[in-house]
Amino acid sequence: MIRILLALTATLWAATARAEIEVQEITSPGGIDAWLVESHEIPFVAVEALFAGGASLDREGKRGAVNLMTALIEEGSGDMTAREFQRELERLAARFSYDVYDDALSVSARFLSENRDESVDLLNQSLTDPAFDETAIERVRSQVLANIRSRAQNPNDIASETFYREAFGNHPYGSDISGTLESVEGLTRDDLVQAFDDTVVRDRIHVAIVGDITPEAAGEMLDEMFEGLPETGPELPEEVEVGIEGGTTVIDFPSPQSVAFFGHEGLERDDPDYFAAYILNEILGGSGRQSILMEEVREKRGLTYGVGTYLVPKEHAELYLGSVSSANDRVAQAIDVIRAEWAEMQENGVTAEQLEEAKTYITGAYPLRFDGNARIAEILVGMQFTGLPADYIETRNAQIEAVTLEEINRVASELLAPEELHFVVVGQPEGLGETN
């Protein structure tokens, strides 16, 4: 039943994606702020919550604790075992999921209107009384350890993790959120309880609700959903400088092709130039096959199947990153082309035609993101988390259209720094030495 309703929800929103989405800012009687989009066409509610902090709140020597803890939240709570918890979800035709990132822990809930009260009670139980059963801990720990071992043999993971380590050192951004074999093997149940208490707290919560519920009922639901959470947690990590310098790091790995992960310092999400930088990236190396790097590296020279770049504005640092893979005897040439195009764009900027084509693509693709209640809730909570206003959905495309050729080319000259690009190359590249 839930699968049918989820499909209907997606179909409904896809058909009306271009219609105006009215976001209401509400506050529960208990003081929890949230954004709400009412949609009473079908009896279904989607809730997205983000707790600021995430894996960055791992305590010293306990790397991976928040990640392991998050994976255990749905492994039973209260008097329920993991199997009993999942059976109750099935009975209610509800879906809960929990995930963690560098800067946030996410909680997603999907449930039918008729089962709202029971679903909310179950979600609250998972967020206030997780079992952290020793048997479940060992089972999930073994899964995390297997994942860590797998990442250690994956060239893409090796490249990205090496880049982050060189860029951020001992800061939480400098290591993978899963932790190391040593750190995860040493975690105790008390460490997981501590990670939970540090992370799932009221004063760092952002919430979005979409579906069949009124503002009054949504306010009451919020207080029930998050009743009993600690009010606050430890301080968040401090800002960190991007410490990596221009050059190349080569890691020997037996493979017929090399993987390169590259980048330099980026731009804050609330920087006035962010929209210009966003369009600039779409032109240079963004998602579409029309990007300059795809044209120069793949189409003209056949050096790769794919190359892409993206802006990464984290909470405590900003990056501009990219990746490419190529045969060992051609990856050096691919890197040379990327550096050259980076320098060309910095010096000469984009053309008026490139700017208009990128604007058309970006503004046209935006409404297609709103293809379901759950997806809309994800977008709204992400907006809250990054400090965007509730009317951003309405104004975003206008802000894209307002970027001028002069503005984007100024940003290109300031943001792009070919001499600061650092490439981490994993493979056995020919003609490519390690430099700093």
Side-chain angles (χ1 to χ4, degrees):
M1 185 177 185
I2 186 68
R3 291 180 181 176
I4 296 173
L5 284 168
L6 285 169
L8 286 172
T9 305
T11 301
L12 173 66
W13 278 104
T16 60
R18 295 182 182 273
E20 181 178 346
I21 297 174
E22 182 181 351
V23 180
Q24 303 177 63
E25 299 183 61
I26 65 172
T27 301
S28 74
I32 298 174
D33 296 326
W35 290 0
L36 167 67
V37 175
E38 287 188 73
S39 173
H40 299 288
E41 287 83 359
I42 61 173
F44 172 83
V45 179
V47 180
E48 286 288 332
L50 286 175
F51 294 89
S56 293
L57 291 173
D58 275 331
R59 299 211 169 197
E60 186 175 356
K62 306 295 181 182
R63 190 58 167 160
V66 173
N67 177 68
L68 180 56
M69 174 275 294
T70 305
L72 284 159
I73 295 178
E74 60 185 328
E75 294 290 325
S77 60
D79 296 328
M80 292 182 177
T81 65
R83 181 173 296 181
E84 289 169 339
F85 186 84
Q86 292 302 320
R87 285 176 177 170
E88 185 65 5
L89 279 175
E90 292 176 7
R91 184 185 71 81
L92 295 171
R95 290 185 182 179
F96 299 162
S97 62
Y98 313 83
D99 210 343
V100 67
Y101 313 95
D102 277 327
D103 297 312
L105 185 149
S106 72
V107 177
S108 303
R110 320 277 184 259
F111 45 82
L112 303 175
S113 300
E114 64 183 270
N115 295 334
R116 186 177 72 206
D117 291 344
E118 287 183 281
S119 299
V120 168
D121 286 344
L122 184 62
L123 183 63
N124 174 262
Q125 177 181 289
S126 75
L127 294 176
T128 56
D129 191 19
F132 295 144
D133 175 75
E134 291 288 356
T135 301
I137 291 174
E138 294 310 313
R139 182 178 68 254
V140 177
R141 189 203 308 269
S142 67
Q143 295 168 358
V144 172
L145 293 172
N147 180 61
I148 293 172
R149 294 187 183 98
S150 176
R151 291 179 64 88
Q153 299 301 316
N154 185 308
N156 292 286
D157 292 330
I158 295 170
S160 61
E161 289 179 21
T162 301
F163 185 97
Y164 278 104
R165 184 170 61 251
E166 293 189 9
F168 297 116
N170 292 327
H171 188 277
Y173 289 167
S175 59
D176 187 75
I177 65 173
S178 298
T180 65
L181 294 176
E182 182 180 11
S183 67
V184 173
E185 286 172 346
L187 293 173
T188 67
R189 185 181 186 280
D190 287 344
D191 293 329
L192 302 179
V193 172
Q194 184 66 68
F196 185 85
D197 292 341
D198 288 346
T199 309
V200 185
V201 297
R202 280 177 60 105
D203 69 345
R204 291 184 183 150
I205 192 171
H206 305 270
V207 191
I209 306 166
V210 180
D212 180 35
I213 192 168
T214 65
E216 294 75 19
E220 295 174 0
M221 181 186 72
L222 286 170
D223 286 341
E224 295 167 2
M225 187 174 290
F226 301 115
E227 181 182 5
L229 294 186
E231 187 60 35
T232 189
E235 292 185 4
L236 297 175
E238 297 180 352
E239 297 293 307
V240 59
E241 295 291 330
V242 179
I244 201 166
E245 298 179 352
T248 307
T249 299
V250 178
I251 299 175
D252 183 72
F253 188 88
S255 172
Q257 71 171 12
S258 293
V259 170
F261 190 88
F262 60 90
H264 60 50
E265 189 171 6
L267 201 67
E268 292 182 0
R269 180 60 187 81
D270 58 0
D271 191 294
D273 290 332
Y274 190 82
F275 281 108
Y278 185 86
I279 301 172
L280 175 70
N281 175 67
E282 187 63 34
I283 296 170
L284 178 58
S287 58
R289 289 191 61 178
Q290 75 277 10
S291 75
I292 289 173
L293 291 183
M294 282 291 284
E295 175 67 20
E296 296 296 330
V297 182
R298 172 177 170 160
E299 302 300 330
K300 287 186 178 180
R301 297 172 175 85
L303 298 175
T304 183
Y305 284 111
V307 57
T309 61
Y310 44 97
L311 294 164
V312 183
K314 294 178 178 289
E315 284 297 292
H316 310 295
E318 300 77 40
L319 293 164
Y320 191 4
L321 300 175
S323 63
V324 66
S325 60
S326 186
N328 285 327
D329 62 349
R330 309 195 75 184
V331 68
Q333 184 184 357
I335 290 173
D336 286 343
V337 174
I338 292 170
R339 286 191 189 277
E341 294 303 324
W342 217 268
E344 169 70 17
M345 184 69 78
Q346 180 198 40
E347 182 176 355
N348 297 318
V350 308
T351 67
E353 182 180 4
Q354 288 171 327
L355 175 59
E356 289 309 309
E357 287 179 355
K359 285 181 178 180
T360 299
Y361 173 76
I362 292 170
T363 56
Y366 187 61
L368 302 180
R369 298 182 184 181
F370 301 90
D371 61 352
N373 287 13
R375 181 61 180 140
I376 293 171
E378 290 174 3
I379 292 171
L380 292 182
V381 80
M383 287 167 51
Q384 291 180 55
F385 189 80
T386 54
L388 296 171
D391 66 353
Y392 174 78
I393 293 174
E394 301 173 15
T395 65
R396 184 263 197 184
N397 276 357
Q399 294 182 73
I400 292 289
E401 294 287 3
V403 173
T404 66
L405 186 63
E406 179 182 11
E407 181 182 3
I408 194 172
N409 286 337
R410 174 185 57 78
V411 171
S413 68
E414 296 172 355
L415 173 63
L416 300 176
E419 71 285 354
E420 295 179 12
L421 276 176
H422 191 99
F423 288 78
V424 175
V425 185
V426 179
Q428 295 178 327
E430 297 179 13
L432 192 63
E434 186 162 329
T435 64
N436 275 316

